[in-house]
Amino acid sequence: MADEPHNLGPLHHSTAPVVAPGLTFASVTDKISSIVLKRKTPLWWFLGFALSFILFQLLLLTITKLVFEGIGLWGVNVPVAWGMDILNFVWWIGIGHAGTLISAILLLLRQKWRTSINRFAEAMTLFAVAQAGMYPIMHLGRPWLAYWLFPYPNTMGIWPQFRSPLMWDVFAVSTYATVSAMFWFVGLIPDFATLRDRARSKPFQLLYGLLAMGWRGSARHWHRYEMAYLLLAGLATPLVLSVHTIVSFDFAVGIIPGWHATIFPPYFVAGAIYAGFAMVLLLTIPLRKLYGLESFITMRHMHNMAKVMLATGLIVGYGYVMEAFFGWYSGNHYERFMIWNRMHGPYSGYYWALILCNIITPQFLWIKKLRSNLLVLWLLSLVVSIGMWLERFVIVVTSLHRDFLPSSWGMYQPSTWDWTMFIGTIGFFFTLLFLFIRFLPMISIFEMRTILPDAEVEE
Amino acid sequence: MSDEKRESFSETEPHEADELHLSVSRRHRTAPALYGIMGEFNNPSDLVAAARRTYEAGYRRINGYSPYPIEELSEAIGFTRTSLPLIVLIGGILGGLGGFFMQYWMEVVAYPLNVGGKPYNSWPAFIPITFECTVLVAAFAAVLGMLVLNKLPQPYHPVFNAPNFALATRDRFFLVIEANDPRFSHDETKQFLNTVGAKNVSDVEI
């Protein structure tokens, strides 16, 4: 692990140190654990939590009304039966992918800079997947029968139909949620032990003590732990790629023009990472400022994340170009019309806004000066998040609203309840995130110790 | 020493050893039962060097404690192999086979349904779920296997009695020679730990 010196000096932004110089085991431990244990909860936390919690109530209200009235509450109807609920599902689950990329893929690639952001990104993954999972379940119409999706022996004597991508989705998303939760929890065990030993009040000692399960930092335990963590990372890597691939199959296996495309899996995965890094930047830029974590989450992190965003943004841009090219080159009447309709039809505004948000705007990231400006970076991330939402809108809605027969064409307009559901999930997401930063260490303490200069064993 | 021997030896966990020791100490001693002798170190290099010397001196029932994983430490105490990868491999194979044949049985045997004229055993369509099941069971095997091999959850352990041990999750490093080591002798071992540079050498009671 220690093949690269920690301080190469400020030769270039990308070689800026991963952690600020002068940190020790004790100072890293105390600083991160004090956010949870000692520091007074800041006022902005209460304000932020209250606001998110209020928005979360909108979700509960919408779901309650939906259960009583049915999904006619939403704007979905034939021909656009997959409206905001499915596009929001794809949007949320895509955001989650950056967390797994940071925690698993960058671990395998031995990118040390991942260490100070992986815990936070993994939490973001879990909370985003929780939002995503709600949409298809609510879209079932009878959400209380969602367990019918799972293969369990039943008195009706029937089994699920496994040739359908919708069943693949059930398995992919539930596996992804489970594995992400386990990965996150395993990463937290040594930090629970740290909090157990630092906590002063009995309830917290008990709470963190229970969660730490008696972790004591034994060399034998660490050895197996590291092995388990590495294997989990190895398992999570193909898993995260498979999840968005399977989500894209929901579309690509269908015969609707604009969906039936072989480019979908890689294009969806790149889009997911793109949106996810935008969300990580959107959240870490204010958080590191508010909690004074600049020595842990350095400018190197910001630059690296911006570069990943730029690279995946270019892949996504390539996807858009190829989508249009395939539509034209196919020579297929319906495919050509679909592309024409996207660019010039009633939803063309969404299409051009998406091109502006996802292809044009991120080009500013080429300029180092703009990358270094956190406000600019934050705004660019916001634009990308909106752009990725527009992308899913364009894919879901423009393909469905005008398919093969003009007699079955129609328009889609999200209802108020579509918006309350979406805003409600944003509220729920931030509610969970605020609880997380208050009660759990948002930076992995033990992994931070491993990248300190003191951690090297001199023979 | 062969690798297998190392593994089997190192799998001997403290609390089995504790019981053994308890019976011995009840017969031969009146002092409180002893788990081992522990010394402190301020940095990882000293701990690893001391652990090496302890292993070279012939002690085998030794363990190090550190706030973060140190690869060199588990090598120094002679613990280099774990059966975890095998457990995960078996988990993955079982998950994959289970996932595929679950679908095969349901679609071909239990509830054959003609969907778009596709064959009952449309195996390419079963691959995504087969893959997900492989990963799911392998991941469970990794997490549960790690916890079971580490004998966690284990709320009580004698080392928690040692002075300053709360710092093992902050910035302090510890080395323990267990009392059931064949070479263990209270005074000599204590002396030995002092000579390898340990500070605050103290008895750890059960």
Side-chain angles (χ1 to χ4, degrees):
Chain A
M1 288 280 264
D3 42 25
E4 184 195 323
H6 295 278
N7 295 319
L8 290 171
L11 299 167
H12 186 274
H13 277 295
S14 63
T15 53
V18 179
V19 288
L23 290 173
T24 63
F25 296 135
S27 65
V28 165
T29 309
D30 295 346
K31 173 115 184 170
I32 302 173
S33 60
S34 73
I35 294 174
V36 178
L37 295 172
K38 286 192 193 133
R39 262 202 243 176
K40 225 176 124 221
T41 312
L43 183 66
W44 62 260
W45 187 91
F46 285 105
L47 291 175
F49 180 75
L51 181 65
S52 322
F53 198 70
I54 291 167
L55 295 180
F56 173 34
Q57 304 315 304
L58 270 182
L59 175 69
L60 298 180
L61 182 72
T62 312
I63 289 177
T64 311
K65 206 164 157 54
L66 193 80
V67 166
F68 276 97
E69 294 190 13
I71 54 170
L73 194 65
W74 289 335
V76 286
N77 209 333
V78 172
V80 184
W82 277 12
M84 265 187 57
D85 42 337
I86 298 303
L87 83 93
N88 287 336
F89 159 72
V90 181
W91 189 72
W92 276 117
I93 206 150
I95 283 172
H97 281 39
T100 318
L101 183 98
I102 290 169
S103 56
I105 300 182
L106 295 185
L107 177 81
L108 297 181
L109 296 176
R110 306 215 154 182
Q111 296 293 308
K112 276 189 206 161
W113 60 276
R114 76 178 261 290
T115 301
S116 34
I117 49 171
N118 71 331
R119 168 75 43 76
F120 182 77
E122 281 169 43
M124 186 196 75
T125 295
L126 270 182
F127 304 153
V129 172
Q131 313 312 321
M134 260 182 296
Y135 281 101
I137 292 176
M138 291 303 144
H139 194 214
L140 291 174
R142 289 185 288 169
W144 53 93
L145 296 177
Y147 63 92
W148 281 10
L149 289 162
F150 287 97
Y152 71 101
N154 54 74
T155 51
M156 299 173 279
I158 56 171
W159 294 101
Q161 208 284 90
F162 288 114
R163 294 172 198 92
S164 163
L166 301 181
M167 275 312 293
W168 307 347
D169 221 21
V170 172
F171 276 79
V173 174
S174 52
T175 300
Y176 184 50
T178 313
V179 173
S180 303
M182 286 199 290
F183 198 40
W184 192 59
F185 182 76
V186 167
L188 274 163
I189 293 171
D191 285 359
F192 283 139
T194 296
L195 293 177
R196 170 197 66 201
D197 295 341
R198 303 277 90 70
R200 284 193 197 135
S201 69
K202 202 79 193 162
F204 278 104
Q205 281 175 347
L206 199 67
L207 172 71
Y208 294 124
L210 278 173
L211 291 167
M213 298 188 292
W215 183 263
R216 51 190 184 272
S218 148
R220 290 187 168 83
H221 287 186
W222 276 125
H223 186 70
R224 296 192 188 102
Y225 179 91
E226 286 275 278
M227 183 59 80
Y229 202 65
L230 195 66
L231 289 169
L232 274 178
L235 290 166
T237 299
L239 176 65
V240 66
L241 300 179
S242 84
V243 173
H244 230 59
T245 299
I246 290 174
V247 168
S248 81
F249 284 165
D250 291 344
F251 298 91
V253 173
I255 53 162
I256 300 290
W259 286 6
H260 196 60
T262 46
I263 198 171
F264 263 36
Y267 158 55
F268 265 54
V269 171
I273 294 164
Y274 185 45
F277 269 86
M279 187 55 93
V280 176
L281 279 169
L282 214 51
L283 299 174
T284 44
I285 289 172
L287 262 186
R288 94 192 246 281
K289 183 87 192 152
L290 288 166
Y291 276 122
L293 296 171
E294 284 93 343
S295 50
F296 298 142
I297 304 170
T298 61
M299 279 315 285
R300 166 121 171 233
H301 296 94
M302 298 297 150
H303 283 285
N304 285 357
M305 285 195 276
K307 285 175 191 166
V308 174
M309 210 162 85
L310 179 58
T312 47
L314 292 172
I315 301 174
V316 170
Y318 174 79
Y320 296 152
V321 173
M322 281 300 126
E323 226 180 6
F325 174 75
F326 291 161
W328 169 76
Y329 192 68
S330 69
N332 181 302
H333 181 71
Y334 302 104
E335 290 285 335
R336 282 189 174 182
F337 173 74
M338 179 277 299
I339 290 295
W340 181 89
N341 185 44
R342 266 187 198 179
M343 293 175 179
H344 308 286
Y347 294 108
S348 62
Y350 289 86
Y351 183 78
W352 296 113
L354 134 80
I355 299 293
L356 180 72
C357 290
N358 278 359
I359 303 187
I360 314 288
T361 325
Q363 302 311 320
F364 289 117
L365 292 171
W366 288 103
I367 304 160
K368 203 163 88 186
K369 210 165 181 171
L370 293 177
R371 263 199 329 253
S372 312
N373 185 329
L374 290 181
L375 182 66
V376 172
L377 196 55
W378 191 84
L379 289 173
L380 283 175
S381 307
L382 187 65
V383 169
V384 168
S385 295
I386 296 168
M388 286 309 292
W389 188 89
L390 289 169
E391 179 203 298
R392 275 69 182 249
F393 185 94
V394 166
I395 291 173
V396 172
V397 177
T398 62
S399 287
L400 282 175
H401 93 119
R402 286 180 176 177
D403 62 358
F404 303 99
L405 278 180
S407 60
S408 63
W409 288 0
M411 288 296 287
Y412 169 71
Q413 187 66 47
S415 75
T416 316
W417 294 103
D418 275 308
W419 288 107
T420 54
M421 176 104 183
F422 182 47
I423 295 166
T425 50
I426 293 175
F428 189 23
F429 176 77
F430 278 99
T431 303
L432 293 170
L433 211 62
F434 274 109
L435 289 174
F436 161 69
I437 60 174
R438 176 62 191 79
F439 292 106
L440 295 174
M442 71 179 110
I443 296 177
S444 172
I445 307 174
F446 89 89
E447 283 178 291
M448 283 306 285
R449 294 184 193 117
T450 62
I451 60 166
L452 294 179
D454 290 350
E456 274 170 58
V457 176
E458 287 149 24
E459 303 285 329
Chain B
M1 187 184 263
S2 76
D3 284 340
E4 286 82 11
K5 269 186 186 164
R6 275 188 182 187
E7 169 76 350
S8 64
F9 188 82
S10 54
E11 294 289 343
T12 313
E13 288 293 328
H15 69 259
E16 299 164 11
D18 300 343
E19 283 158 28
L20 183 80
H21 180 74
L22 208 63
S23 58
V24 172
S25 65
R26 271 195 199 126
R27 261 182 275 133
H28 298 291
R29 252 188 259 165
T30 50
L34 193 67
Y35 170 72
I37 294 178
M38 179 182 265
E40 285 177 37
F41 299 85
N42 281 329
N43 62 66
S45 309
D46 290 353
L47 171 64
V48 171
R52 283 225 172 90
R53 284 182 60 190
T54 312
Y55 191 83
E56 279 159 16
Y59 289 105
R60 289 296 178 268
R61 292 188 185 248
I62 54 180
N63 204 354
Y65 294 87
S66 58
Y68 61 92
I70 304 172
E71 232 172 290
E72 292 90 341
L73 182 61
S74 55
E75 278 164 27
I77 62 167
F79 183 73
T80 51
R81 281 172 62 95
T82 157
S83 45
L84 195 60
L86 185 66
I87 294 173
V88 175
L89 177 68
I90 293 170
I93 291 172
L94 289 179
L97 291 176
F100 184 83
F101 286 105
M102 171 190 76
Q103 297 176 80
Y104 182 87
W105 181 78
M106 288 173 191
E107 303 299 293
V108 178
V109 182
Y111 193 61
L113 198 64
N114 187 330
V115 177
K118 294 188 188 80
Y120 293 135
N121 177 24
S122 16
W123 67 267
F126 300 163
I127 297 303
I129 293 181
T130 304
F131 174 78
E132 300 300 328
C133 292
T134 309
V135 171
L136 185 66
V137 180
F140 267 109
V143 175
L144 298 179
M146 185 270 287
L147 292 177
V148 168
L149 290 177
N150 282 346
K151 298 223 157 85
L152 295 173
Q154 188 184 0
Y156 176 77
H157 192 275
V159 291
F160 286 121
N161 296 331
N164 294 338
F165 194 73
L167 294 176
T169 55
R170 186 171 181 255
D171 61 346
R172 205 63 62 84
F173 301 80
F174 298 85
L175 184 67
V176 173
I177 302 180
E178 290 168 25
N180 55 12
D181 190 288
R183 290 185 61 103
F184 185 88
S185 135
H186 185 266
D187 300 335
E188 264 176 50
T189 304
K190 209 163 187 175
Q191 186 58 40
F192 175 80
L193 272 176
N194 277 317
T195 58
V196 295
K199 305 199 174 52
N200 282 335
V201 177
S202 55
D203 293 356
V204 180
E205 287 162 13
I206 288 173

